[in-house]
Amino acid sequence: MKQDDEFDPRRLRAVRELLVAEVEKAGSAPDRRPRRLAVIGLAVAGSLALGVGLGASAGLLDPPTIPCLAECNPDPVAVPASPNPTAPSNDAYARIPADEIQFSESEADFDGNAHDDFLWDAHDPYYGFNRVPVVARVYIDTIDGGRIFSPIFDQYVYPQTVGKMTVLEVYKGDLKAGSQVNYARPGGIVTFDEYWDSLSQQQREKHLHFNNGQKPTGPKYMQKKLMDDIDIEAGNDYVVLLWPQSSKDGTFHEYFIDGFKFGLREAKGLGPETIALNNETGEWEPLGSLLKLP
Amino acid sequence: MDTDEKLWLCAQAGDGQAFVELFDRHYRRVFNHSLRMVGSKENAEDVTATVFMEAWRKRHSVRMVNGTILPWLLVVANNTIRNWKRASHRHRHLLSRIPSPEYEPDPADEISERITTTDTDRAIRLSFGRLSRRDQEILSLCVVEELTTAEASKALRIPLGTVKSRLHRAKARLAGLVESLSAADAALVRSWS
């Protein structure tokens, strides 16, 4: 698998100049970052596995031991006015400054069978279709931001991405084509303060231990996602596995996109010609390979 | 010659030339690694530039493995490729300052490829592309880039045993895919140490 291509010398020079400029620019700015952030990925993965395994409704992912704080704001994170004029206006994440995000992946293994405590049964192509009540093709209108406090469960959850999607076609369940609905999906970017508020005392103490007893002062945002998962993108069509869910008072409704990379399959083509991207192999497959079509 | 660690410390102190020296030292490996994963020279160049921008953005979580930053850069490359579209959005204002490529398609390349690429290479490349990203990642680090399992463990921040089991499974899956094309090629894959 050898490759002998060479980097274009003109572009190479430009990259070098950019890197020098970035380093020197940062060198003259005050450092707002923490010395060290403890990674709690494994603990969160444990909560994830528990949440998926017990997900009686809506692919529940909430760590059950984290207490609910009533004063928390259930709204998506407030994203600053765009510092990048080329960022798409329907993707709130693309407007977050790149150097303000701390990234953390949670470990999980999809390779086995669901009944062996893996998150998903990757060996059964219809596992997802059989598992959820609603399967549809949708268009992602917006990514409105991330949240860590769920208005559905009224408690802290693993960070989620939320936004609006338009239903294009329904393959299973009770959902109206043409309607625009709210969605939520595990993995998201929240402010570090929100993330900090969501931690248990024990988790906070770990952070404090790695930061000389001080609450880290930055970065401003925290991105959490499951290892190997894909990112949802505004402006794309997907075939999605959905759980309808509502807040306890019945005033807020949304659809939870279940199944990580197995439940969010980019789609193209029309009607019977529709094909969906297999995020494991990178190949486009006919819908019949993942859905039981009439 | 300065070590990666020393250059990195200088870069963090605001020395742009030190970062460029690190770039010059490692960009070819990152570029070739990216090329294998994205398949297009132009995209591999963009990914390589993004990797170093991401490396700078995440400079407080950089991990040196046995005194070199390369394994960590390769892991960042894998993550960048996985999230390339969004990472590109983040760095678009910088990437837009890199001149567009001026490639002239050379028909000789295709002919050369046909002549020099063996059936085995082709079978492995085809099968590699069908693997999951996780399998591609561990194989690209431990087999193609020839990191030891201990180095991959440090770079990926996962236990050594996990690296070994993932590598074993990835090789088995690759061999299985290759086997569907050629039994002899599958035996070759299984023999990789």
Side-chain angles (χ1 to χ4, degrees), chain B residues 49-69:
Chain B
T50 304
V51 165
F52 282 87
M53 290 170 195
E54 282 288 285
W56 183 245
R57 180 171 83 83
K58 296 176 178 173
R59 56 193 174 276
H60 294 271
S61 55
V62 162
R63 296 186 293 285
M64 294 285 168
V65 177
N66 297 337
T68 173
I69 197 174

Side-chain angles (χ1 to χ4, degrees), chain A residues 16-259:
Chain A
R16 286 194 186 104
E17 287 166 11
L18 276 177
L19 294 177
V20 170
E22 281 300 293
V23 171
E24 291 177 352
K25 185 175 77 181
S28 60
D31 188 356
R32 300 179 54 236
R33 293 201 162 236
R35 288 189 200 108
R36 185 86 182 158
L37 279 172
V39 175
I40 58 164
L42 285 176
V44 174
S47 304
L48 271 168
L50 184 64
V52 171
L54 299 177
S57 69
L60 181 62
L61 286 159
D62 311 63
T65 56
I66 297 177
C68 161
L69 295 183
E71 67 272 23
C72 284
N73 179 8
D75 294 334
V77 61
V79 173
S82 174
N84 174 7
T86 61
S89 60
N90 57 351
D91 180 356
Y93 288 160
R95 302 201 300 271
I96 297 177
D99 58 357
E100 291 281 5
I101 304 171
Q102 162 101 8
F103 182 71
S104 170
E105 274 189 326
S106 303
E107 180 99 7
D109 201 337
F110 291 100
D111 289 336
N113 299 309
H115 54 76
D116 292 332
D117 292 335
F118 286 90
L119 286 177
W120 200 257
D121 192 336
H123 299 151
D124 177 1
Y126 299 121
Y127 177 76
F129 183 85
N130 291 333
R131 172 188 164 101
V132 300
V134 180
V135 181
R137 178 171 173 171
V138 300
Y139 175 82
I140 301 300
D141 298 305
T142 63
I143 293 172
D144 294 338
R147 73 178 182 205
I148 199 165
F149 190 86
S150 168
I152 303 299
F153 302 106
D154 201 25
Q155 67 171 11
Y156 286 114
V157 294
Y158 190 77
Q160 300 176 338
T161 295
V162 298
K164 291 185 176 54
M165 61 186 183
T166 297
V167 181
L168 302 176
E169 199 170 355
V170 180
Y171 307 112
K172 177 185 178 183
D174 185 16
L175 185 60
K176 190 176 167 190
S179 57
Q180 190 189 52
V181 296
N182 299 313
Y183 72 82
R185 185 172 188 272
I189 303 175
V190 295
T191 65
F192 187 81
D193 286 341
E194 288 172 305
Y195 172 71
W196 183 261
D197 287 342
S198 77
L199 299 179
S200 66
Q201 187 58 34
Q202 193 179 12
Q203 290 169 323
R204 283 182 199 172
E205 280 169 6
K206 274 190 193 170
H207 282 267
L208 294 170
H209 174 73
F210 283 107
N211 204 46
N212 293 334
Q214 302 295 311
K215 177 187 169 185
T217 53
K220 192 173 178 185
Y221 295 92
M222 170 65 88
Q223 179 176 14
K224 303 284 287 184
K225 72 184 289 189
L226 201 67
M227 187 174 185
D228 283 350
D229 198 10
I230 61 164
D231 289 320
I232 193 167
E233 291 174 12
N236 275 0
D237 276 21
Y238 295 98
V239 173
V240 287
L241 307 176
L242 300 170
W243 288 91
Q245 50 189 23
S246 302
S247 59
K248 284 176 187 167
D249 63 9
T251 58
F252 180 75
H253 309 279
E254 70 180 16
Y255 285 83
F256 184 87
I257 302 176
D258 194 20

Side-chain angles (χ1 to χ4, degrees), chain B residues 61 90 92-93:
Chain B
S61 55
R90 291 204 180 104
R92 185 170 287 172
H93 61 296

